[in-house]
Amino acid sequence: MNSAPERRRDLFLVANSVNELGGVTSWTHRMARLFTDRGHRVHVVGVAPPNVVQEVGETPYPTTTLHATRPPSLRPPRRLRDRLNVGARLRRARWEATRRAHAAVLSDLLQTAAPGGVVIVTQVWAMEWVAMADTAGLHVVGMTHESFEESRRTSRFARVQRYYRDVDCLLALTREDADRWINQGLNNLDVMPNPLPWYPEEPSPRTGRVVASIGRFDEQKRVDLLLETWAKVAPRFPEWTLRIYGSGAEEQELRDYCSHLGLDDSVQWMGTTSDVPGALREASVFVQSSRGEGFPLVLLEAMACAVPCVAFDCAPGVREIVTDGVDGLLAPPGDTHALADRLAQILADQELRDRLGDQARRSVTRYAPEKIVRRWEELFDFLDR
Amino acid sequence: MVDVSVVVIVYNDEKRLPTAVQSVLNQALRSVEAVIVDDHSSDGSFAVAQRFAERYPDRVRAFRLPSNSGGCGQPRNYGIERAAGRYVMFLDSDDELDRNACRAMVRAIETTGADFVSGLCVRVHTTPRGRKEKPWYRWIYRQTRVLDSLTDDPDPLVWDTLATNKCYRRSFLLNHRLRFPTGIAYEDFLFTARAWLAARRVALIPNTVYYWHVSDSPERRSITQRRDEIGNLADRLAMHREIDALLAERGLDTVHLAKSVKFLKHDLVLHLRDLPLRTEEYRRSFLDLVGPYVAHLPTEAYHQLRPLQAICAYLVAQGDGDALLPAADALINPHKTAVPLAEREGRIYWSTRHLNDPLGRELLDVTDLGYHLKPLHKLAPRTVVTGQRVDGRWLRLSGRVTNPLGRIPTPTSSRVRGRLELTARRAGWRVFRFPLRQLVHRGDHLTWAADLDLGRVFHPIGIVDHVWDLRLVMDIDGTRVRSRLTVVHPDLDTAPLPVQPLLPGLGADQVVAEVSAKGHLALRVVPSTAVQHRARTALVAAAGTPAGRRSRALLATARRVPRLLASEQNKRWLYHTVLCRLPRHRGLAVFESHLGQRYSDSPRAIYEELRRRDLPMTAVWSYAHTPDGFPRDAVLVRRWSLRYLVALARAEYWIDNQGFPSGLRKPAHTTYLQTWHGSALKRMGFDEPEVQLRSRAARDRLRADLGRFDAFCVRSHHDMETLIPAFRLNPAVALPVGYPRNDALVRQRQQEERTGRRTYPRIGAAPHLPDHRRILLYAPTFRGRPRRRTAVRPLFDLAAFAREFGDQYVLLVRSHYLERLVVPPSAAEAVIDVSAEHDTTPLLAAADALITDYSSVMFDYVLLDRPMIYYVPDYDDYVHHARGTYFSLAEVAPGPLAFTEEELFAALRELDTADTEYVKARRAFAERFAAYDTGTAARAIVDRFFLQEGRR
C-alpha cells in the first residue's frame, strides 16, 4: 500500500488563490500534503490574494501568489459602446500587460521543473494564466470541482470549454459528469474523486435523537426545502431534533420561515462549527436538501462517522457517494414529500439506521487518501506514455 | 512495446494521405505508430508514405501491396500482420483521428480489461458553404459503458458496423484470427460482427475518436457510398447472410431480431430512397435480390418498424414492385397520401392486394395513421409526372394525381380547378403560375396536362435563385390542395430551355429539368455564357468573404426585426411603461379560459350570468388562435395582441381560470378573480419538485404571478389544504363558493330529481344525440405533448368497443386540445370525437356515465351522481413515478378502477348493476371534494364583485 512512487515529480498546484475560504483550498492543501508525504516536490501557486482568508497554517511546501492585488474583473467589449470607451480599453490593455507579466513569472517557475513535472490547475480562472504561461515539457491537468449541471448555470461553463480544451487531461469528479462534458464536445476527460477528509477512530454511537445538517445557507443548499421536509416529519417524531449547522446571508429569512412553519421547538440553529466530527458524533442521521452538488465532502464525513445520509439525488457526485438503500437513502431532487418519506422511514427504524450507517463507514474507505493519491500517480504515469 | 499501431490504408489518395498520417503523429498519446499500407496505388501515394517513413523512422512504416486488391480488406489484414503495438486501430487515408483518440481508448481498454473499445465516429460533410459535423449513432455512445454480453444490448453491434472507430488488443485479433474478408465491399460489417462475437468484454466511450470525411460530390464518393451499383447490394446482402449464419450458429436470436429490424429500418430504406430514380431494369434486379432475403427475416421484426417502413418491407418481401414505389415515396415524404387507399370493413388499407395474407392485412392496415380524417388541405395527394418534354420555349408536362378514398370529388358535384406553381427554393418570394390545359377526373385518380410557356412567362433573377420547385395546386370548392410533382422515370428530358432572366446579360438564361433529393421535379437555372458563369462564381465568392457573411447576417437580422420588436419581452415593457398609465375603464372585464384556447369553464359561466342579469359592463374575451366559437356580443381580442394588453391595463376585472400572461403586473385598479380549473389529485405548484428546483428568481416570478389573485374559487376543504398552500396563497383570498362552471350541473341534477326526467343539452359535434343509446363520456387526462406526426392512440381499442357496445352506447371522447385522436371508420357510428368542443360542462351534463382516469372532471361529474369508471392502465406509473398525488385515488374512487381493457369492458357490461355499491362512496366523494358546489357560485360572485356600489 505504501510503496514509494515510481517517480518523484515536480507538482504545481495552481488555484485562484492560495488561501481563499472554500472547499477547493482545503482540497489543494490536503492533496499538497499527501503528495509531499509521497516524496513529490510540491509548489502551490495562487493567482491572486483571496477575498476571504482561510487559515492554512505552516506548509511543508512553498507557496507563491502571482498578483499582489486582486485583479479587477473586466468584461470583454461586446457592444459598439464598449469598443468606443477609450478609458475601458486603456484599463484593459494595462491589465492584459500585467497579466502577461505575471504569466511570465509563472513560466519561469514552471520551467524549474524536472522532466515529468505536472501542473494541476484546480480552477478554470487560474487556467487563464496557465494557458498564457509556457508549459512545454510539463503535463497540464485541469480540474472542475463541481458537477456539470452546476457549472452549466455559471459563466464557468463557457470558460471550461475554452481554456481546458487543450490540456492533457481534464478531471471531473465522477464518470457521469465526465461523460456529460464529453458529450458537450471536450475530448480529454478523466475522472478523479476527492479524498476522504478524515476518518475518525470513534464513529457516532447513533444514540442521540438528532438529525444533523451542515452547510452554508445559500441558494444551492436550499435549507428552505429542508425545513419544509422537516415540517412533514417532525409531528410524527416529537422526540427528534433537527440541528442545522451553518450560516449565510439567508439566515434570518430561514429562521423566519422556520417559525412560520411552526418548527421552533424541534429545530436548533447551531451556527457554524469548527468541530464537524463532534457535531456528527452527536447525530444519528444526516440530511441534505441541496439543489445541486459537486462531490459533497460533508456526505463523506457523515458516512465516515457511520451516520447514514438522507439526501436529494441531485447530482452525479451524490449518487457516486451514496448507494440508495445500501449506505444511505436518496430521494428525487426537489421532492420534499419523498425526502420526508425517507427521513421518516429511517427515523422509525433503528435497525435500518445501524445497517446503513455501518455500511456507510465501510464503503467510504474507497476514497481513502492513500488510494486517491495512488490513482493520481497512475494518472501521471499514464500521461508519460 | 509501442502502445498503439494505427493501420492507415491508402489507394490513389496522395492528396489526403498526409492529413491522415499527421493525425496519427499528433496523438496526445506519444507511443503510437502509423503502419501505412498502400494498395498498389497508381499515383504518388506510396511515395508520400515513404517520405513520412523517412522523416519519422521510429513512428511510421510504409508498405505496398504487390498488386491492387480493390478493397479495404486485404491492406488492413496486411497491416494487422505488421503491426507491432499492444493495440491496433484502423484509419482510412481520407479520414482523421481525434488528437485524444488513442489516449482515451487505451485508458478505457486498460481500466476495463476489454478486448476492444469503441468510440464515437463523427461524419464530416465538407461543402462550399462550410463544414458540418454529424455524430454517427450518438445514442449508442451517450455514456461510458462496459458490455459483457451481446444480449444485454445488441444495438452497438447491430447499428455501428464500422471497424475504424475501435481500438483492439492485438493479441485479441491474433488469438481469434480476426481478419477482414477480401474481394468484397462492406468488409467492416463482417469483421466487426466477428469481433463482437469473439469478445468477452467491450467498452464503449462517448469520446469522439474518428472523423469520417464524407464527400457529397458524386465523383469522389467512396466505395460504399455508391449505392447505385447492384453489385454493391449483392455484397451487402452476402455480408448480412454470413452474419445471420454466425448468429444462428450461436443461437443469438434476440441479436438476430435486432439486426433484422436494423436492416429493414436502415439498410433497406437507404436503397428504397434511391429507387424512384433507377431504371426499370435496376428495380427488377433489386427486388429479385432483396425480396428473398427480406422474406426470410423474422416477422416479429415488422412489428418494431414504423408503419410505412413495415409496408415497404412487406412489399419488398412480396416482390410487389408496382406498389413499392408509392410506398417508398411516402416513406421519404411522410406528409403525402401516396395511394388511393381502400376501406374494408371499417378499416383503411394501403392497398386491396395482399389482404388475404394475415400478415399483409395487419401491416397494410393504416387506419391509425388517420388518412381518412386528414383535412383536404393537408391531403397532399401523390402526383406523378407521366410526360415531360422540352419543346422550344415550352415545357410540356402531364401527370396523374392519386385520389385517396375518393376525397377529390367529381366535377359534376363540385368545382375542381388546377394550376402549376413555380417557386424559388431559396430567395423565394415570387410565384409563377401556369394554367392546366386539361384536368380529368378518372375515379381513383385524376390526369392533367399543362404547357408551360417558360420562355415568355418565367423570369428568374438568374443569380441567387438557382433552383425552382414545381407544385400542382388544385382548388376544390375553395380549398387548396397542393402536391409536388414526383418523377418516376429516370430519363428526364434535360434539354436546356431558354428563359429571360431579370438581370439580362449577367443572370443565367437557361433552365434544365432535374430531380430533387426527395424525388420531385425541379428546374435549375443554369448560365449559358462565360459572363454569366463569372457573375455566379463571383457572387458565391463574395458571399464567402467576411464582408459577405456580415451582410448576409445583417440581412437575416433585418428580416427578424418585426418579430424581435413584437417579442413578449418588448410587449411587457410597453405594457408596464406606457399602457399601465392609461386610465381605468370602468366596468371593463377581461375574460380568458385555458390561456385563450377555449370559450368555456367558469369564466364563461360568470360571463353568461352577467349577460343574463344584463349588468352594465364591457366584456372582453381573449382567444389564442381563432375567435371561432367565442361570443359575438363580447369584444374579442387575440392573446398578446396590443388590444389585449390595452384591455388588461385598463380593466376593472381580470377573470380567468389558469393565468394571465406571466410577468404582467396587475394594475392597482384591477380585481383579479381566479376561478381555477379543477381540484387537485396530482401535486401542484410549489408541491411539484420541478417547481422547487427552479432558480430563486424563477420561483419569485411564479410567486408574484400567483400573488396577483384577489380571489380564488375553492370547492372544498380539500382545496384549502392543497391548492391554497401549494400556490402560496393567503387563505383570505379563497372564495368558498364552488365553481361557477358547475352551477349548471347542480341545477340539472336538482331539476332532474324534481321532474324525474333526464334532459340533454345539445352537443355541437353530435347534434343527433340523444338517440336510443346511452351516452358515455371518455375524458382522460393529458399525457404530454405527442410527438410530431404521431397520432395519440386511444388507451383502449375503439373498434373493439364499437363491436361490442355499438348498439348500446355512444362514446364521446374528449382528449386534450394538443392531442389528436384517430377514430377508425368502423367505430365512426359508436365513437364521436368531441375534443374540439369549447366547453366540457354540457358534455358532462349529457353523459349517462363517465370514463376517466386522473382528470379533475371526476370532481365535477360526481355532482351529477351518475356512474363513473376509472380506466387506469398506467396507475402505478402515474401515481408513484410521476410527481405524486395528494390522496390515494384507489382508496376513495367512487367507481371501479379498471387496469386493463378487459376490466374496462367488464365494468361497462355491468355498469348499472355494479353502480349501487358506489352510491355511498360517491356521496362521500362529493362531500369531500365538492362541498361548496351548490349551484349558486356564479350568482354569488356577481353579487359580490359586480353589484357593490361605489367600489374603490
Side-chain angles (χ1 to χ4, degrees):
Chain A
M1 201 66 194
N2 289 317
S3 65
E6 271 178 36
R7 195 168 176 185
R8 292 176 200 282
R9 294 171 191 270
D10 285 305
L11 303 179
F12 300 91
L13 284 96
V14 188
N16 292 358
S17 28
V18 171
N19 52 345
E20 171 85 56
L21 179 65
V24 176
T25 297
S26 310
W27 178 91
T28 305
H29 290 284
R30 176 153 180 76
M31 284 312 298
R33 271 170 219 275
L34 290 168
F35 283 137
T36 308
D37 291 347
R38 293 281 291 168
H40 300 292
R41 295 172 295 274
V42 178
H43 197 136
V44 174
V45 182
V47 170
N51 280 325
V52 187
V53 178
Q54 171 168 330
E55 210 43 68
V56 293
E58 264 315 291
T59 56
Y61 42 82
T63 61
T64 302
T65 296
L66 297 178
H67 290 272
T69 55
R70 189 100 187 150
S73 65
L74 293 175
R75 211 158 45 86
R78 282 198 206 113
R79 294 153 181 262
L80 191 62
R81 203 170 48 195
D82 300 337
R83 284 180 213 280
L84 292 178
N85 187 337
V86 179
R89 291 187 73 148
L90 278 176
R91 273 198 298 283
R92 201 172 170 77
R94 217 174 310 132
W95 164 233
E96 287 295 339
T98 34
R99 227 152 82 108
R100 269 194 294 278
H102 288 101
V105 174
L106 181 60
S107 297
D108 293 343
L109 188 61
L110 298 182
Q111 288 314 314
T112 61
V118 184
V119 187
I120 301 167
V121 190
T122 60
Q123 283 152 307
V124 70
W125 190 63
M127 185 63 212
E128 295 180 29
W129 275 261
V130 177
M132 274 193 289
D134 177 10
T135 53
L138 293 148
H139 302 307
V140 180
V141 176
M143 300 189 77
T144 150
H145 272 276
E146 60 190 342
S147 72
F148 178 86
E149 275 306 321
E150 279 302 305
S151 176
R152 192 145 76 163
R153 296 180 214 260
T154 68
S155 73
R156 286 187 291 280
F157 190 59
R159 289 185 290 132
V160 163
Q161 292 177 69
R162 179 169 164 205
Y163 290 104
Y164 280 150
R165 176 165 294 275
D166 294 318
V167 298
D168 286 294
C169 180
L170 170 59
L171 293 175
L173 292 164
T174 68
R175 183 79 257 169
E176 208 179 320
D177 288 312
D179 285 354
R180 298 204 60 182
W181 281 113
I182 295 169
N183 283 316
Q184 189 63 32
L186 290 176
N187 228 0
N188 50 354
L189 270 115
D190 218 311
V191 183
M192 189 65 72
N194 290 339
L196 203 53
W198 36 258
Y199 195 74
E201 297 279 310
E202 267 308 296
S204 163
R206 290 188 300 257
T207 46
R209 299 273 186 207
V210 171
V211 177
S213 156
I214 304 176
R216 54 179 202 283
F217 300 158
D218 68 14
E219 172 65 5
Q220 192 196 19
K221 300 293 178 192
R222 291 304 297 271
V223 179
D224 58 327
L225 292 188
L226 175 59
L227 293 173
E228 284 175 27
T229 305
W230 188 247
K232 298 180 174 76
V233 178
R236 290 173 55 195
F237 299 92
E239 70 278 26
W240 284 79
T241 314
L242 172 65
R243 284 190 188 162
I244 302 178
Y245 295 88
S247 63
E250 298 181 0
E251 179 159 355
Q252 195 49 50
E253 200 181 327
L254 288 168
R255 279 173 181 255
D256 292 346
Y257 192 43
C258 180
S259 308
H260 170 78
L261 292 171
L263 297 174
D264 286 338
D265 294 340
S266 62
V267 173
Q268 293 176 0
W269 298 89
M270 309 296 288
T272 45
T273 174
S274 52
D275 180 20
V276 173
L280 286 168
R281 256 196 297 274
E282 288 165 21
S284 295
V285 174
F286 185 83
V287 63
Q288 192 181 51
S289 57
S290 305
R291 177 194 72 179
E293 282 289 344
F295 196 81
L297 288 180
V298 66
L299 291 185
L300 289 180
E301 291 169 341
M303 290 167 80
C305 287
V307 176
C309 299
V310 181
F312 280 144
D313 186 5
C314 63
V318 174
R319 300 188 264 289
E320 166 79 28
I321 293 169
V322 178
T323 311
D324 186 27
V326 175
D327 49 22
L329 296 176
L330 298 179
D335 190 341
T336 51
H337 293 265
L339 190 66
D341 260 10
R342 310 288 190 281
L343 200 53
Q345 191 189 345
I346 203 167
L347 294 190
D349 188 346
Q350 166 89 48
E351 212 172 293
L352 180 67
R353 288 202 296 278
D354 290 345
R355 180 165 63 78
L356 297 180
D358 292 345
Q359 179 57 40
R361 186 165 157 86
R362 277 193 296 276
S363 50
V364 283
T365 55
R366 66 184 185 280
Y367 305 112
E370 55 278 10
K371 287 185 187 161
I372 301 295
V373 173
R374 190 62 67 82
R375 278 181 73 163
W376 275 96
E377 287 172 355
E378 277 166 19
L379 176 71
F380 299 152
D381 293 343
F382 180 71
L383 293 178
D384 283 344
R385 286 164 65 173
Chain B
M1 196 197 269
V2 179
D3 274 333
V4 185
S5 294
V6 182
V7 176
V8 187
I9 58 165
V10 58
Y11 175 66
N12 284 357
D13 201 12
E14 58 181 3
K15 284 236 175 65
R16 289 182 289 182
L17 178 63
T19 319
V21 177
Q22 201 58 52
S23 79
V24 177
L25 296 171
N26 289 349
Q27 283 300 301
L29 187 75
R30 261 156 283 221
S31 177
V32 177
E33 65 158 0
V35 179
I36 310 175
V37 184
D38 169 37
D39 193 6
H40 208 86
S41 300
S42 52
D43 69 350
S45 298
F46 187 56
V48 172
Q50 278 178 313
R51 272 203 296 282
F52 268 107
E54 278 159 26
R55 245 180 95 190
Y56 306 96
D58 307 333
R59 308 195 58 196
V60 179
R61 290 183 286 148
F63 301 94
R64 181 172 167 87
L65 294 189
S67 63
N68 178 248
S69 73
C72 304
Q74 212 154 309
R76 282 186 189 155
N77 291 341
Y78 191 90
I80 296 175
E81 309 290 342
R82 266 113 199 124
R86 198 175 286 125
Y87 312 106
V88 179
M89 291 183 67
F90 303 103
L91 173 64
D92 294 348
S93 60
D94 45 352
D95 299 337
E96 277 174 86
L97 293 181
D98 185 86
R99 202 180 96 85
N100 286 294
C102 289
R103 202 176 246 175
M105 293 201 150
V106 169
R107 186 82 169 142
I109 209 167
E110 291 186 349
T111 49
T112 60
D115 289 319
F116 68 89
V117 53
S118 186
L120 181 71
C121 170
V122 171
R123 283 164 62 102
V124 183
H125 298 257
T126 315
T127 61
R129 310 184 98 213
R131 178 187 155 107
K132 246 200 295 192
E133 297 193 355
K134 284 187 196 157
W136 183 245
Y137 298 119
R138 161 89 96 186
W139 53 276
I140 295 175
Y141 293 101
R142 279 271 167 222
Q143 47 184 304
T144 302
R145 294 192 281 166
V146 176
L147 293 181
D148 286 328
S149 157
L150 258 184
T151 37
D152 288 354
D153 183 4
D155 282 343
L157 155 73
V158 163
W159 286 95
D160 179 11
T161 51
L162 299 176
T164 45
N165 55 345
K166 300 177 173 63
C167 175
Y168 312 81
R169 284 180 197 270
R170 188 160 61 95
S171 58
F172 168 70
L173 295 183
L174 296 180
N175 292 344
H176 293 275
R177 295 204 185 76
L178 288 168
R179 295 294 183 276
F180 288 87
T182 54
I184 189 163
Y186 304 103
E187 54 284 277
D188 279 27
F189 274 27
L190 189 58
F191 178 84
T192 34
R194 283 189 188 143
W196 273 100
L197 292 174
R200 286 167 299 105
R201 171 175 284 186
V202 179
L204 303 178
I205 57 173
N207 302 62
T208 301
V209 296
Y210 196 89
Y211 294 102
W212 173 3
H213 290 279
V214 183
S215 171
D216 291 323
S217 64
E219 318 83 67
R220 281 180 35 177
R221 285 193 179 176
S222 69
I223 295 171
T224 47
Q225 273 176 273
R226 279 182 246 131
R227 284 192 296 270
D228 43 349
E229 289 169 17
I230 204 86
N232 245 322
L233 181 60
D235 283 358
R236 191 187 272 256
L237 288 175
M239 286 298 158
H240 275 286
R241 287 209 164 89
E242 280 219 39
I243 297 169
D244 290 347
L246 286 176
L247 295 175
E249 234 171 68
R250 287 169 174 75
L252 292 168
D253 292 343
T254 51
V255 181
H256 182 231
L257 177 62
K259 183 182 158 297
S260 305
V261 171
K262 184 258 179 174
F263 179 86
L264 296 175
K265 266 189 181 174
H266 176 81
D267 305 53
L268 183 63
V269 170
L270 279 182
H271 287 277
L272 288 179
R273 280 179 160 269
D274 302 339
L275 212 53
L277 306 179
R278 300 285 167 258
T279 59
E280 199 61 41
E281 187 197 345
Y282 175 94
R283 285 178 208 158
R284 245 194 321 277
S285 5
F286 172 82
L287 275 182
D288 290 346
L289 264 174
V290 184
Y293 179 74
V294 174
H296 275 100
L297 296 179
T299 45
E300 297 125 272
Y302 291 120
H303 298 115
Q304 297 185 31
L305 303 179
R306 279 187 282 135
L308 276 165
Q309 289 170 341
I311 290 172
C312 287
Y314 178 77
L315 294 174
V316 168
Q318 296 293 318
D320 189 343
D322 296 340
L324 183 59
L325 270 191
D329 192 5
L331 191 64
I332 304 163
N333 301 290
H335 63 282
K336 264 190 203 179
T337 312
V339 289
L341 300 166
E343 190 182 328
R344 290 280 182 284
E345 291 140 36
R347 310 287 301 171
I348 306 294
Y349 293 95
W350 186 257
S351 77
T352 48
R353 268 189 283 178
H354 312 294
L355 294 188
N356 292 328
D357 174 13
L359 182 65
R361 200 176 177 86
E362 186 192 337
L363 297 177
L364 297 176
D365 183 339
V366 290
T367 315
D368 289 343
L369 295 185
Y371 284 118
H372 58 293
L373 300 174
K374 249 189 187 182
L376 205 54
H377 69 275
K378 284 190 179 165
L379 195 63
R382 182 169 186 251
T383 301
V384 299
V385 178
T386 51
Q388 176 258 349
R389 198 158 51 84
V390 176
D391 181 5
R393 54 171 228 251
W394 297 86
L395 175 66
R396 302 194 194 279
L397 289 173
S398 59
R400 52 187 280 165
V401 189
T402 308
N403 184 7
L405 299 167
R407 295 286 297 282
I408 303 172
T410 53
T412 48
S413 63
S414 51
R415 255 157 65 87
V416 181
R417 286 170 307 167
R419 60 169 186 268
L420 290 175
E421 286 187 1
L422 194 54
T423 48
R425 193 170 295 169
R426 292 177 61 209
W429 60 90
R430 291 186 302 152
V431 182
F432 293 94
R433 298 188 174 83
F434 302 91
L436 296 186
R437 177 158 54 77
Q438 186 195 59
L439 180 67
V440 185
H441 201 291
R442 298 180 195 275
D444 73 348
H445 69 275
L446 292 83
T447 57
W448 56 266
D451 299 316
L452 286 65
D453 188 359
L454 294 180
R456 283 275 166 79
V457 179
F458 178 45
H459 304 293
I461 302 170
I463 48 173
V464 285
D465 46 358
H466 299 174
V467 186
W468 291 73
D469 292 308
L470 269 165
R471 271 188 202 80
L472 174 73
V473 181
M474 284 185 295
D475 187 307
I476 301 168
D477 289 336
T479 305
R480 266 191 213 149
V481 180
R482 295 158 185 280
S483 49
R484 300 215 172 203
L485 307 187
T486 303
V487 179
V488 287
H489 291 287
D491 41 355
L492 225 48
D493 185 351
T494 53
L497 192 156
V499 293
Q500 295 164 358
L502 284 185
L503 282 177
L506 283 179
D509 60 4
Q510 290 184 340
V511 292
V512 174
E514 68 168 27
V515 185
S516 76
K518 295 200 159 187
H520 300 128
L521 184 63
L523 298 177
R524 179 172 287 275
V525 184
V526 290
S528 64
T529 66
V531 175
Q532 293 170 13
H533 267 291
R534 273 202 294 277
R536 180 173 286 194
T537 31
L539 194 75
V540 169
T545 61
R549 269 199 297 276
R550 260 205 300 280
S551 43
R552 271 191 298 168
L554 207 67
L555 212 68
T557 316
R559 268 195 222 119
R560 280 208 311 272
V561 163
R563 210 154 9 120
L564 289 175
L565 282 178
S567 72
E568 289 188 0
Q569 200 185 340
N570 286 339
K571 283 178 178 170
R572 276 196 197 97
W573 176 85
L574 177 76
Y575 173 85
H576 288 129
T577 51
V578 181
L579 303 182
C580 278
R581 289 166 207 271
L582 295 174
R584 177 179 72 163
H585 181 152
R586 215 180 150 83
L588 176 68
V590 181
F591 292 87
E592 186 172 289
S593 173
H594 294 297
L595 310 177
Q597 297 290 343
R598 308 275 199 193
Y599 169 53
S600 68
D601 211 318
S602 298
R604 175 179 181 165
I606 295 171
Y607 171 75
E608 286 174 350
E609 174 75 14
L610 283 166
R611 280 279 176 253
R612 201 165 20 246
R613 288 161 67 172
D614 206 14
L615 290 168
M617 58 138 195
T618 313
V620 172
W621 267 93
S622 120
Y623 63 88
H625 301 294
T626 150
D628 293 348
F630 283 83
R632 292 281 166 81
D633 52 0
V635 180
L636 304 185
V637 295
R638 197 185 172 96
R639 203 166 192 260
W640 275 114
S641 67
L642 187 62
R643 288 172 64 216
Y644 174 72
L645 296 175
V646 171
L648 284 180
R650 302 191 61 193
E652 195 172 356
Y653 303 102
W654 288 6
I655 300 168
D656 109 300
N657 67 353
Q658 200 159 338
F660 282 109
S662 172
L664 291 191
R665 212 169 43 229
K666 185 187 59 167
H669 53 246
T670 306
T671 303
Y672 189 164
L673 175 56
Q674 173 58 259
T675 67
W676 202 239
H677 56 272
S679 302
L681 165 64
K682 284 173 297 180
R683 297 195 189 288
M684 303 291 292
F686 282 91
D687 286 338
E688 289 176 65
E690 179 270 318
V691 172
Q692 287 286 24
L693 287 177
R694 289 184 198 168
S695 70
R696 194 188 179 95
R699 280 179 286 134
D700 286 345
R701 273 198 300 276
L702 178 61
R703 221 185 300 254
D705 287 344
L706 297 167
R708 296 179 298 185
F709 304 162
D710 294 304
F712 185 90
C713 293
V714 295
R715 314 177 49 204
S716 66
H717 188 58
H718 173 72
D719 286 354
M720 295 299 295
E721 278 184 329
T722 55
L723 293 176
I724 296 288
F727 291 156
R728 301 286 190 263
L729 297 179
N730 181 347
V733 305
L735 198 61
V737 296
Y739 282 173
R741 70 174 180 203
N742 288 341
D743 291 348
L745 300 181
V746 175
R747 277 202 304 272
Q748 169 150 358
R749 181 172 161 208
Q750 287 165 349
Q751 187 196 338
E752 284 174 1
E753 278 172 358
R754 207 169 48 242
T755 61
R757 209 159 43 84
R758 219 15 205 99
T759 54
Y760 292 89
R762 190 179 165 282
I763 296 166
H768 58 289
L769 295 180
D771 53 19
H772 62 285
R773 298 169 298 177
R774 301 180 66 193
I775 301 171
L776 294 177
L777 175 66
Y778 178 41
T781 192
F782 180 47
R783 280 183 172 70
R785 189 181 281 267
R787 275 203 235 129
R788 206 159 51 101
R789 286 207 202 102
T790 53
V792 179
R793 278 174 170 281
L795 289 169
F796 58 90
D797 184 352
L798 297 178
F801 170 86
R803 267 197 305 281
E804 177 165 355
F805 301 107
D807 47 3
Q808 194 183 350
Y809 295 124
V810 56
L811 182 72
L812 309 180
V813 183
R814 183 165 182 81
S815 52
H816 194 269
Y817 63 87
L818 287 174
E819 298 176 319
R820 192 159 67 85
L821 179 80
V822 174
V823 180
S826 67
E829 281 292 303
V831 181
I832 297 166
D833 185 357
V834 291
S835 310
E837 291 289 302
H838 270 273
D839 205 357
T840 313
T841 307
L843 302 174
L844 295 175
D848 293 300
L850 174 75
I851 306 171
T852 184
D853 42 26
Y854 323 101
S855 165
S856 68
V857 294
M858 68 171 104
F859 304 110
D860 306 322
Y861 192 74
V862 74
L863 294 168
L864 290 163
D865 194 21
R866 297 180 198 155
M868 294 157 81
I869 298 173
Y870 291 83
Y871 179 51
V872 285
D874 50 357
Y875 186 80
D876 283 336
D877 217 37
Y878 201 89
V879 169
H880 298 304
H881 299 300
R883 53 177 128 141
T885 56
Y886 284 116
F887 61 93
S888 164
L889 180 62
E891 278 169 26
V892 301
L897 264 62
F899 297 96
T900 62
E901 189 175 301
E902 293 84 74
E903 287 177 19
L904 172 66
F905 286 4
L908 285 176
R909 270 176 227 123
E910 51 200 43
L911 191 57
D912 296 316
T913 48
D915 190 54
T916 45
E917 64 181 278
Y918 289 107
V919 173
K920 244 178 91 183
R922 215 149 48 212
R923 299 256 155 80
F925 194 81
E927 187 52 41
R928 176 166 171 189
F929 297 107
Y932 308 155
D933 272 315
T934 52
T936 55
R939 199 169 59 215
I941 285 172
V942 170
D943 286 347
R944 172 155 173 189
F945 291 94
F946 293 86
L947 282 189
Q948 295 166 11
E949 281 309 308
R951 312 152 283 206
R952 252 172 292 172

